Amino acid sequence: MDYSKTCIHCMNTKPTVDAPCPCCGHTESDSIQFQHQLPARTVLKERYLLGRVLAQDALGFLYLSLDLHRNELRAVRELFPTGICYRTRSHSVGVTLE
């Protein structure tokens, strides 16, 4: 499924990919990219569409997400401890063993 018209800021549908969101006014150029975060619009377990990062701390990321089965907003927490994990090019998580 194509989620390119989904606003990553509020998870509502935009009229076109490049248009500002009619609900929140967000544009793609407004997005903040955190190091190691999963790409916006990643779908987890064929159920959760990830949006923007709500919070980041030493333990990982908290993402705004849309539950595609229930069409409800959710928060998804990714455990990604600083200094212990790394992200591969395929977006998998690896563990640094010392």
Side-chain angles (χ1 to χ4, degrees):
M1 182 127 197
D2 180 17
Y3 297 108
S4 62
K5 293 182 183 176
T6 302
C7 175
I8 64 169
H9 191 77
C10 69
M11 304 309 284
N12 286 299
T13 303
K14 304 184 296 183
T16 64
V17 173
D18 297 325
C21 178
C23 297
C24 70
H26 182 271
T27 62
E28 293 295 312
S29 62
D30 295 336
S31 298
I32 298 171
Q33 181 74 28
F34 293 92
Q35 186 179 11
H36 305 300
Q37 83 177 62
L38 287 168
R41 298 183 188 88
T42 296
V43 178
L44 301 176
K45 298 202 168 265
E46 299 178 6
R47 181 165 185 173
Y48 300 100
L49 176 66
L50 298 184
R52 65 186 167 102
V53 172
L54 297 171
Q56 177 196 19
D57 59 23
L59 293 178
F61 299 96
L62 183 66
Y63 299 92
L64 175 65
S65 68
L66 179 64
D67 183 330
L68 298 171
H69 293 181
R70 296 179 180 224
N71 198 34
E72 295 175 341
L73 292 179
R74 298 276 187 235
V76 171
R77 176 78 169 161
E78 178 188 23
L79 183 60
F80 195 93
T82 304
I84 297 173
C85 295
Y86 63 90
R87 185 141 352 250
T88 67
R89 285 192 173 130
S90 65
H91 306 298
S92 297
V93 174
V95 177
T96 305
L97 300 174
E98 293 186 28

